[in-house]
Amino acid sequence: MRAVVMYAPGDVRVDETERPTIVEPTDAIVKLAATCICGSDLWPYRGADDVDHQPMGHEYVGVVEEIGSDVTSIALGDFVVGSFFSSDNTCEICRAGYQTHCVHRGPGAVPGAQAEYARIPLADGTLVATPAMPDEDLIPSLLAASDVLGTGWFAAVAAEAGPGKTVAVVGDGAVGLLGVLAAEQLGAERIIAMSRHPDRQALARDFGATDVVEERGAAGVQRVKELTGGLGAHSTIEAVGTQESMTQAIRATRAGGHVGYVGVSHDVSLPGEELFFSGVHLHGGPAPVRRFLPELVRLVWDREIDPGKVFDLTLPLERAAEGYQAMDERRATKVLLTF
Amino acid sequence: MRAVVMYAPGDVRVDETERPTIVEPTDAIVKLAATCICGSDLWPYRGADDVDHQPMGHEYVGVVEEIGSDVTSIALGDFVVGSFFSSDNTCEICRAGYQTHCVHRGPGAVPGAQAEYARIPLADGTLVATPAMPDEDLIPSLLAASDVLGTGWFAAVAAEAGPGKTVAVVGDGAVGLLGVLAAEQLGAERIIAMSRHPDRQALARDFGATDVVEERGAAGVQRVKELTGGLGAHSTIEAVGTQESMTQAIRATRAGGHVGYVGVSHDVSLPGEELFFSGVHLHGGPAPVRRFLPELVRLVWDREIDPGKVFDLTLPLERAAEGYQAMDERRATKVLLTF
């Protein structure tokens, strides 16, 4: 089968690789309907994470082609969406809603999903089947649920976005934009998108942003305070993962407010004293997408939300390298790869 | 009047100073019934915070002797307990329960309360009157409510201690011990006190600890995990404020669990990546004691709790220096100063 492999930073190729097969009796093999490139794939692409001939991709939707002998809730032919982390969804941690930390999870995200087929461990606890075969136009939105929508949703929940709340969103990538969508769905009163890119500002407004702040750093914090009576946001979504973005998120939040951070943390160090005197709540990490998937699939299925709009470039899998380049240069927010 | 002044690290004296007078119309002057030394007073005593002829003390109970012209809810002759931070208790931040961050608060904790009299700003929003003049034996417990009980209580609330939860407590000072008491009052199922001092272990058990862990650092984390099916505590109270204690608290907590940290942070730096992948909630800071004071005063008044037990050394104010020394050398958990 064809699969995207990152040979080294900046060097993405499409190779002919072995089609995966069932290894554990809890596995499923999914024939992907589409896949995509994640903002987090840019960390190794830019050399910020080590990479050496790595099969890429952890977002997927498609049809179940094979199941292990222990799989009971997913059937051959099901159209499924899965979380980017596998989970048994039965352990104590999963039951508490933290499937990303499932005691039986693998060592990291589901690997190698920028490919025609993917092996999904713990299929019963990881995959959610759609009610029927989806219309073609729903596929991007269902794919978004696999990670970026689920991650933005978790950030909004971690930030306790809801009625009466002003939510600030740091980061205008796909996750930040879908954090806006999530905050809107959760009933936030006001949503401040922090972005200086007109296209992304427009999409943020489409998803429910009521205000846009172009300033960054201290000036950005200052603008959020001006918009919130000097107090700061009740809830802030952090969707970048750098020292600057975390600092901006913490400082933009009022005492007693909540920061939901989902940008994969890179070289971040939080000064204890500032955090202590900030009085904010901090919660985040790799999103337990599985917690939210049934609801997210329903919202997409019923066409109540259209998170697939974050895909602003569609390429055939063969041209994955172009997709990485476009995202790296911020010419694309998120790239859909088709077969 | 007599007042405790820290001239320099390790140099504590009792001076004759000016009795405070009303400065703002919202002030009250309180004649203290007792005062005490706080664990946080040891930071400057040990040279970890700058200090230069600083009037000490921020915990107080006593009788209102004078009020400003704008004070309406506190009357002359009232016996009052106050939070160690003044607050108007009416601003949006106060109403959300974060009185320590009141938009009208002073620059820091109430100063100079290790003295015969104290000036309390924003008396209406800071002080809580008891139903009547308390019996003498209730004074230590009412005084504890002013900071250490309120702080331990906030830590337990921030850690979401409650029914069905296992709570670990890092730190066996007065705040940690009262965090145990708070967790018990909040209905925690199991409370693991981390302490290697037999006296403090005994008091922790008296306050409701079900388990004691003597190990620290990685070994302490390991013990908490062994006691919690490998998962870690649901809730962890951090009541020290060092890198080691914060690390221990975060690592002792399961993914999705809550760390409530109230130890005044000193030279702490939290690595973003570890925090990200821990999946814990983090909340803390200077405790908004005022939020809890009415309930805490009631519990003490009704003799449902006896937080005054944390005072294991009582000295006249004149001998404050001995009290600092005893706490510094950990010969005393908390020192009550009488007049």
Side-chain angles (χ1 to χ4, degrees):
Chain A
M1 66 167 189
R2 292 163 299 156
V4 176
V5 178
M6 193 179 291
Y7 278 57
D11 183 1
V12 169
R13 305 187 199 177
V14 176
D15 281 355
E16 196 63 33
T17 65
E18 283 291 301
R19 184 186 143 168
T21 52
I22 298 287
V23 177
E24 302 289 338
T26 47
D27 288 349
I29 304 297
V30 175
K31 182 177 196 302
L32 272 65
T35 183
C36 57
I37 304 172
C38 184
S40 68
D41 295 334
L42 297 179
W43 292 112
Y45 188 79
R46 292 169 174 165
D49 286 345
D50 290 338
V51 64
D52 180 14
H53 292 79
Q54 174 74 42
M56 297 300 293
H58 52 263
E59 298 161 284
Y60 56 94
V61 287
V63 175
V64 176
E65 283 237 333
E66 221 179 315
I67 53 173
S69 55
D70 288 354
V71 176
T72 59
S73 65
I74 296 293
L76 295 181
D78 279 352
F79 190 92
V80 291
V81 187
S83 166
F84 66 101
F85 260 83
S86 59
S87 56
D88 64 16
N89 212 25
T90 58
C91 77
E92 192 173 335
I93 299 294
C94 282
R95 291 201 313 273
Y98 285 85
Q99 289 90 341
T100 338
H101 298 268
C102 171
V103 300
H104 297 115
R105 68 173 175 170
V110 169
Q114 285 165 15
E116 289 178 277
Y117 295 86
R119 178 175 79 87
I120 309 302
L122 303 170
D124 280 330
T126 304
L127 301 171
V128 172
T130 57
M133 285 300 285
D135 293 338
E136 193 67 26
D137 69 324
L138 282 184
I139 286 177
S141 285
L142 290 168
L143 177 58
S146 181
D147 177 355
V148 279
L149 172 60
T151 296
W153 199 277
F154 172 59
V157 168
E160 301 214 346
K165 299 283 187 80
T166 293
V167 181
V169 181
V170 179
D172 64 359
V175 171
L177 292 166
L178 292 170
V180 171
L181 179 151
E184 198 272 339
Q185 286 286 315
L186 293 167
E189 185 172 304
R190 195 169 185 189
I191 303 170
I192 304 168
M194 305 191 82
S195 171
R196 46 180 59 178
H197 298 84
D199 294 0
R200 298 177 185 212
Q201 291 175 1
L203 191 49
R205 287 197 187 273
D206 185 47
F207 282 156
T210 53
D211 299 83
V212 168
V213 165
E214 297 209 339
E215 293 87 344
R216 288 185 188 178
V221 168
Q222 184 57 31
R223 265 311 277 143
V224 172
K225 294 220 163 168
E226 284 164 18
L227 291 168
T228 53
L231 302 178
H234 298 93
S235 304
T236 303
I237 291 172
E238 189 286 331
V240 182
T242 61
Q243 186 72 29
E244 187 191 2
S245 63
M246 280 297 281
T247 303
Q248 189 172 320
I250 292 166
R251 294 184 183 168
T253 308
R254 66 182 60 194
H258 293 76
V259 176
Y261 67 105
V262 292
V264 182
S265 196
H266 277 74
D267 297 325
V268 172
S269 171
L270 300 180
E273 197 171 336
E274 173 167 355
L275 200 61
F276 184 84
F277 287 105
S278 75
V280 303
H281 297 74
L282 208 58
H283 183 47
V289 173
R290 185 61 179 79
R291 189 204 310 179
F292 310 107
L293 260 186
E295 171 70 357
L296 301 182
V297 167
R298 187 195 67 73
L299 287 168
V300 169
W301 196 262
D302 294 346
R303 297 182 184 272
E304 291 181 28
I305 59 174
D306 190 0
K309 284 184 185 168
V310 292
F311 293 107
D312 51 359
L313 179 60
T314 300
L315 293 170
L317 186 76
E318 281 71 17
R319 291 168 61 189
E322 287 172 54
Y324 275 81
Q325 207 173 354
M327 280 178 65
D328 179 41
E329 293 166 3
R330 293 180 73 87
R331 284 182 286 109
T333 303
K334 193 164 176 73
V335 175
L336 186 75
L337 299 173
T338 56
F339 300 101
Chain B
M1 68 168 187
R2 292 162 299 157
V4 177
V5 178
M6 193 179 290
Y7 278 56
D11 183 2
V12 170
R13 308 189 197 175
V14 177
D15 281 355
E16 195 62 32
T17 65
E18 283 291 301
R19 183 185 143 168
T21 53
I22 297 287
V23 177
E24 302 290 338
T26 47
D27 287 348
I29 304 297
V30 176
K31 181 176 198 300
L32 273 65
T35 182
C36 56
I37 303 172
C38 183
S40 68
D41 295 333
L42 297 179
W43 292 111
Y45 188 79
R46 292 169 175 165
D49 286 348
D50 289 338
V51 65
D52 180 14
H53 292 77
Q54 174 74 44
M56 297 300 293
H58 52 264
E59 298 161 284
Y60 56 94
V61 286
V63 175
V64 177
E65 284 237 332
E66 220 179 316
I67 53 173
S69 55
D70 288 354
V71 175
T72 59
S73 65
I74 296 293
L76 295 181
D78 278 354
F79 190 92
V80 291
V81 187
S83 165
F84 66 101
F85 260 84
S86 58
S87 56
D88 65 16
N89 212 26
T90 59
C91 78
E92 193 172 335
I93 299 296
C94 282
R95 292 200 314 273
Y98 285 85
Q99 288 90 342
T100 339
H101 299 267
C102 171
V103 300
H104 297 116
R105 68 173 175 170
V110 169
Q114 286 165 14
E116 290 178 276
Y117 294 85
R119 179 176 78 86
I120 309 302
L122 302 171
D124 279 332
T126 305
L127 301 171
V128 172
T130 56
M133 285 301 285
D135 293 338
E136 193 67 26
D137 69 325
L138 281 183
I139 286 177
S141 285
L142 290 169
L143 177 59
S146 181
D147 177 354
V148 279
L149 172 61
T151 296
W153 198 278
F154 172 58
V157 168
E160 302 214 346
K165 299 284 187 76
T166 293
V167 181
V169 181
V170 179
D172 62 359
V175 171
L177 292 166
L178 291 171
V180 170
L181 179 151
E184 198 273 338
Q185 286 287 314
L186 293 166
E189 186 173 304
R190 195 170 184 187
I191 303 169
I192 304 169
M194 305 190 82
S195 171
R196 47 179 60 178
H197 298 82
D199 293 0
R200 297 177 185 212
Q201 291 175 2
L203 190 50
R205 287 196 187 274
D206 185 46
F207 282 156
T210 54
D211 300 84
V212 168
V213 165
E214 297 209 340
E215 293 86 345
R216 287 185 188 178
V221 169
Q222 184 57 33
R223 264 313 276 144
V224 172
K225 294 219 163 168
E226 284 166 16
L227 290 169
T228 53
L231 301 178
H234 298 93
S235 304
T236 302
I237 291 172
E238 189 284 331
V240 183
T242 62
Q243 187 72 28
E244 187 190 3
S245 63
M246 279 298 280
T247 303
Q248 188 171 319
I250 292 166
R251 293 184 183 168
T253 309
R254 65 181 61 193
H258 293 75
V259 176
Y261 66 105
V262 291
V264 182
S265 197
H266 277 74
D267 296 325
V268 172
S269 173
L270 300 180
E273 197 171 338
E274 173 168 355
L275 200 60
F276 185 83
F277 287 104
S278 75
V280 304
H281 298 74
L282 208 58
H283 183 46
V289 173
R290 185 61 179 77
R291 188 202 310 176
F292 309 108
L293 260 186
E295 171 69 358
L296 300 183
V297 168
R298 188 195 66 73
L299 288 168
V300 169
W301 196 262
D302 294 347
R303 298 182 184 270
E304 291 181 28
I305 59 174
D306 191 1
K309 284 184 187 169
V310 293
F311 293 106
D312 51 0
L313 179 60
T314 300
L315 293 171
L317 186 77
E318 281 70 17
R319 291 168 61 189
E322 285 172 56
Y324 275 80
Q325 206 173 355
M327 280 178 64
D328 179 41
E329 293 167 5
R330 293 179 74 85
R331 284 184 286 109
T333 303
K334 194 165 176 72
V335 175
L336 187 75
L337 299 173
T338 56
F339 301 102

PDB file of all heavy atoms in Angstrom, chain B residues 29 62-67 74-80 129-130 132-134:
ATOM      1  N   ILE B  29     -10.033  48.839  62.945  1.00  0.00           N
ATOM      2  CA  ILE B  29      -8.905  48.534  63.826  1.00  0.00           C
ATOM      3  C   ILE B  29      -9.349  47.398  64.753  1.00  0.00           C
ATOM      4  O   ILE B  29     -10.396  47.500  65.411  1.00  0.00           O
ATOM      5  CB  ILE B  29      -8.491  49.759  64.680  1.00  0.00           C
ATOM      6  CG1 ILE B  29      -8.169  50.956  63.785  1.00  0.00           C
ATOM      7  CG2 ILE B  29      -7.319  49.405  65.599  1.00  0.00           C
ATOM      8  CD1 ILE B  29      -7.000  50.780  62.845  1.00  0.00           C
ATOM      9  N   GLY B  62      -9.901  38.910  66.748  1.00  0.00           N
ATOM     10  CA  GLY B  62      -9.976  39.849  67.864  1.00  0.00           C
ATOM     11  C   GLY B  62     -11.220  40.700  67.814  1.00  0.00           C
ATOM     12  O   GLY B  62     -12.167  40.409  67.072  1.00  0.00           O
ATOM     13  N   VAL B  63     -11.178  41.743  68.599  1.00  0.00           N
ATOM     14  CA  VAL B  63     -12.358  42.584  68.802  1.00  0.00           C
ATOM     15  C   VAL B  63     -12.190  43.907  68.046  1.00  0.00           C
ATOM     16  O   VAL B  63     -11.129  44.535  68.101  1.00  0.00           O
ATOM     17  CB  VAL B  63     -12.557  42.849  70.310  1.00  0.00           C
ATOM     18  CG1 VAL B  63     -13.716  43.824  70.536  1.00  0.00           C
ATOM     19  CG2 VAL B  63     -12.814  41.532  71.035  1.00  0.00           C
ATOM     20  N   VAL B  64     -13.249  44.298  67.347  1.00  0.00           N
ATOM     21  CA  VAL B  64     -13.221  45.546  66.579  1.00  0.00           C
ATOM     22  C   VAL B  64     -13.250  46.730  67.545  1.00  0.00           C
ATOM     23  O   VAL B  64     -14.178  46.869  68.348  1.00  0.00           O
ATOM     24  CB  VAL B  64     -14.410  45.614  65.601  1.00  0.00           C
ATOM     25  CG1 VAL B  64     -14.424  46.949  64.866  1.00  0.00           C
ATOM     26  CG2 VAL B  64     -14.332  44.454  64.606  1.00  0.00           C
ATOM     27  N   GLU B  65     -12.224  47.562  67.484  1.00  0.00           N
ATOM     28  CA  GLU B  65     -12.123  48.702  68.400  1.00  0.00           C
ATOM     29  C   GLU B  65     -12.508  50.015  67.745  1.00  0.00           C
ATOM     30  O   GLU B  65     -12.853  50.976  68.439  1.00  0.00           O
ATOM     31  CB  GLU B  65     -10.678  48.819  68.893  1.00  0.00           C
ATOM     32  CG  GLU B  65     -10.307  47.796  69.928  1.00  0.00           C
ATOM     33  CD  GLU B  65      -9.808  48.473  71.202  1.00  0.00           C
ATOM     34  OE1 GLU B  65      -9.271  49.603  71.130  1.00  0.00           O
ATOM     35  OE2 GLU B  65      -9.967  47.854  72.270  1.00  0.00           O
ATOM     36  N   GLU B  66     -12.391  50.055  66.439  1.00  0.00           N
ATOM     37  CA  GLU B  66     -12.635  51.308  65.732  1.00  0.00           C
ATOM     38  C   GLU B  66     -13.049  50.935  64.305  1.00  0.00           C
ATOM     39  O   GLU B  66     -12.539  49.959  63.755  1.00  0.00           O
ATOM     40  CB  GLU B  66     -11.311  52.090  65.668  1.00  0.00           C
ATOM     41  CG  GLU B  66     -11.410  53.581  65.877  1.00  0.00           C
ATOM     42  CD  GLU B  66     -10.021  54.228  65.824  1.00  0.00           C
ATOM     43  OE1 GLU B  66      -9.081  53.674  66.436  1.00  0.00           O
ATOM     44  OE2 GLU B  66      -9.887  55.252  65.141  1.00  0.00           O
ATOM     45  N   ILE B  67     -13.953  51.709  63.721  1.00  0.00           N
ATOM     46  CA  ILE B  67     -14.294  51.459  62.309  1.00  0.00           C
ATOM     47  C   ILE B  67     -14.325  52.785  61.566  1.00  0.00           C
ATOM     48  O   ILE B  67     -14.619  53.834  62.145  1.00  0.00           O
ATOM     49  CB  ILE B  67     -15.654  50.732  62.117  1.00  0.00           C
ATOM     50  CG1 ILE B  67     -16.788  51.458  62.851  1.00  0.00           C
ATOM     51  CG2 ILE B  67     -15.579  49.280  62.553  1.00  0.00           C
ATOM     52  CD1 ILE B  67     -18.168  50.881  62.570  1.00  0.00           C
ATOM     53  N   ILE B  74     -19.795  45.471  59.953  1.00  0.00           N
ATOM     54  CA  ILE B  74     -18.997  45.114  61.130  1.00  0.00           C
ATOM     55  C   ILE B  74     -19.175  46.234  62.146  1.00  0.00           C
ATOM     56  O   ILE B  74     -19.097  47.417  61.785  1.00  0.00           O
ATOM     57  CB  ILE B  74     -17.506  44.989  60.732  1.00  0.00           C
ATOM     58  CG1 ILE B  74     -17.301  43.842  59.728  1.00  0.00           C
ATOM     59  CG2 ILE B  74     -16.601  44.834  61.950  1.00  0.00           C
ATOM     60  CD1 ILE B  74     -17.550  42.461  60.273  1.00  0.00           C
ATOM     61  N   ALA B  75     -19.420  45.872  63.392  1.00  0.00           N
ATOM     62  CA  ALA B  75     -19.690  46.901  64.409  1.00  0.00           C
ATOM     63  C   ALA B  75     -18.623  46.879  65.499  1.00  0.00           C
ATOM     64  O   ALA B  75     -17.936  45.873  65.698  1.00  0.00           O
ATOM     65  CB  ALA B  75     -21.063  46.659  65.016  1.00  0.00           C
ATOM     66  N   LEU B  76     -18.510  47.995  66.193  1.00  0.00           N
ATOM     67  CA  LEU B  76     -17.590  48.061  67.333  1.00  0.00           C
ATOM     68  C   LEU B  76     -17.952  46.948  68.315  1.00  0.00           C
ATOM     69  O   LEU B  76     -19.135  46.694  68.571  1.00  0.00           O
ATOM     70  CB  LEU B  76     -17.722  49.423  68.037  1.00  0.00           C
ATOM     71  CG  LEU B  76     -17.296  50.636  67.208  1.00  0.00           C
ATOM     72  CD1 LEU B  76     -17.456  51.918  68.026  1.00  0.00           C
ATOM     73  CD2 LEU B  76     -15.848  50.479  66.751  1.00  0.00           C
ATOM     74  N   GLY B  77     -16.948  46.291  68.836  1.00  0.00           N
ATOM     75  CA  GLY B  77     -17.187  45.240  69.821  1.00  0.00           C
ATOM     76  C   GLY B  77     -17.381  43.857  69.227  1.00  0.00           C
ATOM     77  O   GLY B  77     -17.385  42.859  69.938  1.00  0.00           O
ATOM     78  N   ASP B  78     -17.546  43.789  67.891  1.00  0.00           N
ATOM     79  CA  ASP B  78     -17.661  42.466  67.248  1.00  0.00           C
ATOM     80  C   ASP B  78     -16.366  41.690  67.434  1.00  0.00           C
ATOM     81  O   ASP B  78     -15.268  42.249  67.333  1.00  0.00           O
ATOM     82  CB  ASP B  78     -17.882  42.609  65.729  1.00  0.00           C
ATOM     83  CG  ASP B  78     -19.335  42.880  65.365  1.00  0.00           C
ATOM     84  OD1 ASP B  78     -20.192  42.851  66.263  1.00  0.00           O
ATOM     85  OD2 ASP B  78     -19.597  43.124  64.167  1.00  0.00           O
ATOM     86  N   PHE B  79     -16.499  40.397  67.636  1.00  0.00           N
ATOM     87  CA  PHE B  79     -15.329  39.529  67.574  1.00  0.00           C
ATOM     88  C   PHE B  79     -15.235  39.036  66.131  1.00  0.00           C
ATOM     89  O   PHE B  79     -16.207  38.499  65.594  1.00  0.00           O
ATOM     90  CB  PHE B  79     -15.449  38.341  68.531  1.00  0.00           C
ATOM     91  CG  PHE B  79     -14.165  37.584  68.663  1.00  0.00           C
ATOM     92  CD1 PHE B  79     -13.248  37.910  69.667  1.00  0.00           C
ATOM     93  CD2 PHE B  79     -13.836  36.565  67.774  1.00  0.00           C
ATOM     94  CE1 PHE B  79     -12.038  37.228  69.791  1.00  0.00           C
ATOM     95  CE2 PHE B  79     -12.622  35.874  67.881  1.00  0.00           C
ATOM     96  CZ  PHE B  79     -11.733  36.208  68.886  1.00  0.00           C
ATOM     97  N   VAL B  80     -14.093  39.253  65.515  1.00  0.00           N
ATOM     98  CA  VAL B  80     -13.993  38.987  64.074  1.00  0.00           C
ATOM     99  C   VAL B  80     -12.806  38.077  63.743  1.00  0.00           C
ATOM    100  O   VAL B  80     -11.801  38.044  64.453  1.00  0.00           O
ATOM    101  CB  VAL B  80     -13.836  40.295  63.264  1.00  0.00           C
ATOM    102  CG1 VAL B  80     -15.123  41.124  63.309  1.00  0.00           C
ATOM    103  CG2 VAL B  80     -12.647  41.104  63.754  1.00  0.00           C
ATOM    104  N   ALA B 129     -17.751  38.239  61.439  1.00  0.00           N
ATOM    105  CA  ALA B 129     -17.985  38.292  62.884  1.00  0.00           C
ATOM    106  C   ALA B 129     -18.494  36.949  63.383  1.00  0.00           C
ATOM    107  O   ALA B 129     -19.251  36.261  62.692  1.00  0.00           O
ATOM    108  CB  ALA B 129     -18.993  39.394  63.206  1.00  0.00           C
ATOM    109  N   THR B 130     -18.061  36.575  64.566  1.00  0.00           N
ATOM    110  CA  THR B 130     -18.597  35.349  65.174  1.00  0.00           C
ATOM    111  C   THR B 130     -19.969  35.684  65.769  1.00  0.00           C
ATOM    112  O   THR B 130     -20.295  36.854  65.986  1.00  0.00           O
ATOM    113  CB  THR B 130     -17.649  34.838  66.276  1.00  0.00           C
ATOM    114  OG1 THR B 130     -17.449  35.889  67.232  1.00  0.00           O
ATOM    115  CG2 THR B 130     -16.308  34.434  65.687  1.00  0.00           C
ATOM    116  N   ALA B 132     -21.089  35.496  68.674  1.00  0.00           N
ATOM    117  CA  ALA B 132     -20.997  36.171  69.972  1.00  0.00           C
ATOM    118  C   ALA B 132     -19.527  36.144  70.380  1.00  0.00           C
ATOM    119  O   ALA B 132     -18.678  35.711  69.596  1.00  0.00           O
ATOM    120  CB  ALA B 132     -21.850  35.427  71.003  1.00  0.00           C
ATOM    121  N   MET B 133     -19.205  36.606  71.578  1.00  0.00           N
ATOM    122  CA  MET B 133     -17.825  36.499  72.032  1.00  0.00           C
ATOM    123  C   MET B 133     -17.505  35.012  72.237  1.00  0.00           C
ATOM    124  O   MET B 133     -18.269  34.303  72.886  1.00  0.00           O
ATOM    125  CB  MET B 133     -17.640  37.253  73.361  1.00  0.00           C
ATOM    126  CG  MET B 133     -17.608  38.769  73.201  1.00  0.00           C
ATOM    127  SD  MET B 133     -16.264  39.375  72.110  1.00  0.00           S
ATOM    128  CE  MET B 133     -14.872  39.162  73.205  1.00  0.00           C
ATOM    129  N   PRO B 134     -16.435  34.555  71.672  1.00  0.00           N
ATOM    130  CA  PRO B 134     -16.137  33.110  71.769  1.00  0.00           C
ATOM    131  C   PRO B 134     -15.585  32.732  73.144  1.00  0.00           C
ATOM    132  O   PRO B 134     -14.968  33.556  73.817  1.00  0.00           O
ATOM    133  CB  PRO B 134     -15.052  32.913  70.707  1.00  0.00           C
ATOM    134  CG  PRO B 134     -14.401  34.245  70.578  1.00  0.00           C
ATOM    135  CD  PRO B 134     -15.442  35.275  70.872  1.00  0.00           C
TER     136      PRO B 134
END
